[in-house]
Amino acid sequence: MIGRARLVSILTPLIGVVCFLFIWYFAVAVRLVDPVLLPTPNVVLANVWSGLTGGKIGSDLLKTIQRVFMAIALASCIGIPTGVLLGASERLYRSLEFVIDFFRSTPTSAVFPLFLVIFGVDDRTKVYIGTFGATLAIIFNSAYGVMNARKTRVLAARIMGASRLHILLVVLLESLPQTFIGLRTGVSISLVSVIVAEMFFGSKDGIGQRVFESVQLFDMPQMYAAIFCSGILGYGLNLSLSLTERRFVHWSGR
Amino acid sequence: MAISARTALIEPGGLPRKFVAPSAFKRPHITVRGLHKTFGTNTVYNGFDLDIPRGKFISIFGPNGCGKSTLINLMAGLLPLDGGEILFDGEKVSDVRIGYVFQNYREALFPWMRARDNIAYPLKFLKIGRQEQKRKVDALVERLGIRIDLNKYPYEMSGGQQQLVSILRALVIDPEVLFLDEPFSALDYEMTLFMREQLQRIFQEIGATTLIVSHDLEEAVYLADMILLLTRAPSQVADFVDFGSPRPRTDATLADPAYVQVKAHCLDVFQREVRK
């Protein structure tokens, strides 16, 4: 038996979805929008299904996932240790803060051509592009996490006789919630960068390339299907990071 | 030295020159000599001396910014001294087992550990095996008759329970000196009353020299054997008042003329210092 309150809480988020689909249907049905430019939701969903089961969308999606994962792994390997190191010394961080903040604020897309010149039209270039923005976000957040580690907990560890290694461990655990914020931002940046790179850098695969090619072939249902899949990817990445955080950083925000 | 000071109190006839409580013959546990401490331009201590007797419950009370917390932080080695020395039976703080309870339990406990592991944390650094750690924690909780679920994480507990875990963590190493920095000021009144009783019971059971910084005079006197009253910074001892009411103290203690009198005296000294 599901209680009434529980039923309401499950159904509430679906209201938006239903409204969205209804408006979409309605707009196509009364020809508010040209059906060639905007097919009905069922046509798009049918394309998503066929694209994922037998078509190219499935393999493109996998390729994009692969690139984003590599980019995030690389960004974490560079970003987290660098951030911790910078955060450990406030003066070091302050001396570099402007540079990091400046490049963090620079739109990643502005440096794409530069990456192209340096690394060539290689498959790896797309990963590096995804790494770039994510690394800066991760450095920034890890450093802040370490710098804002509660002084009291460090003092408490010290007064109880903790060694330097144990104190470092306290600081690292303390900074984990903030590190996860960096990771989440990093994943978003990296996903955007990889997809844009896939569109324009002479790609043969990837969900970005799928969207771009569909438009050029004027295969609108496939384009919508590809966009929808990239949405699922983004949402899925965010959700899985949230779940990982809740599992391993269970104390975050509490 | 100690012997000559002791004999000096005795007249040649062998009769005491004045009444001296037996505990006064004990060597002081903590001695503070010529303490100096400055924060920026603010001199908190400038030549401060103090003797703390062993096994007593000492409340520290005084005007805002007089350096109450600073004093125990200096004693506990959390802050460096700018001058003078603080010795425990002639030894440095690093050679003494101390327990410290922070005001803000939310920021002092480790949220990634269960209560049990928080309490056992300081034992790790005493090279005590896992089994022995567990046994010590269980023994302590049993001895103090504390009923909390030690498998919870701190954020799953009430403020009072969290502070109790902090206190247990400070006690698990069997400290010679226990420092508490306004331990109940973040709790509501009901919980504060409950925690006072817990702390009193713990003190009776453990008997370690205990120093508590309090901002509540009622609490300071109720709990203490001696109340240390400080002046405004640079701080001096305004008075060091004895309160010998028997334990366990109860609500009846609050109506006891001795309590009322000591509290009134402390308030007098405090107000004199505040108006200065």
Side-chain angles (χ1 to χ4, degrees), chain B residues 195-214:
Chain B
M195 291 296 289
R196 257 183 223 173
E197 294 319 313
Q198 296 279 319
L199 183 61
Q200 177 173 230
R201 261 178 357 97
I202 288 170
F203 172 70
Q204 283 185 268
E205 185 64 37
I206 306 273
T209 305
T210 301
L211 287 103
I212 185 171
V213 171
S214 179

Side-chain angles (χ1 to χ4, degrees), chain B residues 242-267:
Chain B
D242 274 309
F243 179 51
S245 178
R247 296 180 192 274
R249 295 172 186 168
T250 60
D251 289 347
T253 311
L254 298 174
D256 179 355
Y259 169 82
V260 174
Q261 194 204 335
V262 169
K263 195 182 147 193
H265 172 71
C266 290
L267 190 59

Side-chain angles (χ1 to χ4, degrees), chain A residues 150 152-153 155-163 166 169-170 173-174 250-251 254, chain B residues 76-78 98 100 102 106-112 121-122 124-125 153 155 169:
Chain A
R150 301 283 178 196
T152 314
R153 274 198 262 277
L155 278 182
R158 222 184 71 202
I159 208 169
M160 290 186 283
S163 61
H166 274 100
L169 190 65
V170 168
L173 284 164
E174 183 82 59
H250 53 86
W251 66 91
R254 306 173 76 168
Chain B
L78 281 177
I98 58 163
Y100 192 106
F102 290 86
R106 282 181 180 285
E107 295 186 359
L109 291 174
F110 301 127
W112 48 85
Y121 186 79
K124 275 203 251 193
F125 312 113
Y153 286 99
Y155 54 77
R169 182 176 73 174

Side-chain angles (χ1 to χ4, degrees), chain B residues 2 10 14 30 41 60 68 74 76 86 119 140 153 160 167 174 186 191-192 207 217 228 242 246 253 274 276:
Chain B
I10 314 287
I30 310 172
T41 56
I60 305 174
K68 303 182 287 270
L74 289 165
I86 297 173
I119 298 171
L140 179 69
Y153 286 99
I167 294 174
D174 201 7
M191 191 50 86
T192 302
L217 187 57
L228 175 64
D242 274 309
T253 311
V274 169
K276 260 184 193 168

Side-chain angles (χ1 to χ4, degrees), chain A residues 36-228:
Chain A
V36 177
L37 285 180
L38 183 68
T40 52
N42 52 322
V43 172
V44 171
L45 285 175
N47 263 273
V48 169
W49 179 250
S50 63
L52 285 177
T53 50
K56 289 178 181 166
I57 288 181
S59 60
D60 282 327
L61 200 58
L62 276 178
K63 197 73 199 168
T64 303
I65 292 173
Q66 207 182 345
R67 287 181 181 132
V68 171
F69 268 76
M70 278 166 72
I72 282 300
L74 208 55
S76 306
C77 289
I78 304 169
I80 295 175
T82 314
V84 169
L85 211 67
L86 290 182
S89 158
E90 185 138 2
R91 184 167 298 166
L92 184 63
Y93 181 78
R94 294 291 167 214
S95 63
L96 291 174
E97 184 175 27
F98 179 74
V99 177
I100 294 171
D101 217 15
F102 184 83
F103 281 107
R104 197 174 68 101
S105 313
T106 307
T108 322
S109 45
V111 296
F112 284 4
L114 177 66
F115 273 75
L116 211 55
V117 171
I118 298 174
F119 299 109
V121 200
D122 198 336
D123 199 41
R124 273 175 294 174
T125 310
K126 298 177 190 71
V127 174
Y128 295 151
I129 284 171
T131 309
F132 173 72
T135 307
L136 291 169
I138 291 172
I139 291 181
F140 187 80
N141 280 290
S142 295
Y144 256 84
V146 169
M147 273 192 295
N148 293 339
R150 301 283 178 196
K151 302 278 180 290
T152 314
R153 274 198 262 277
V154 172
L155 278 182
R158 222 184 71 202
I159 208 169
M160 290 186 283
S163 61
R164 292 176 74 98
L165 197 70
H166 274 100
I167 288 174
L168 180 68
L169 190 65
V170 168
V171 171
L172 285 182
L173 284 164
E174 183 82 59
S175 68
L176 261 188
Q178 187 75 29
T179 303
F180 260 88
I181 293 175
L183 278 177
R184 264 155 87 165
T185 317
V187 166
S188 301
I189 294 173
S190 163
L191 184 62
V192 170
S193 308
V194 166
I195 285 180
V196 172
E198 285 172 347
M199 286 184 178
F200 301 114
F201 287 10
S203 286
K204 291 174 204 65
D205 46 23
I207 202 75
Q209 198 270 342
R210 183 63 32 222
V211 173
F212 197 64
E213 199 187 81
S214 307
V215 173
Q216 294 199 311
L217 299 173
F218 216 70
D219 184 350
M220 295 317 258
Q222 176 165 257
M223 183 206 72
Y224 282 107
I227 292 176
F228 182 74

Side-chain angles (χ1 to χ4, degrees), chain B residues 149-169:
Chain B
D149 182 358
L150 295 182
N151 289 318
K152 281 187 174 173
Y153 286 99
Y155 54 77
E156 297 170 319
M157 304 177 132
S158 72
Q161 288 176 331
Q162 288 184 49
Q163 194 58 298
L164 213 47
V165 169
S166 294
I167 294 174
L168 290 173
R169 182 176 73 174

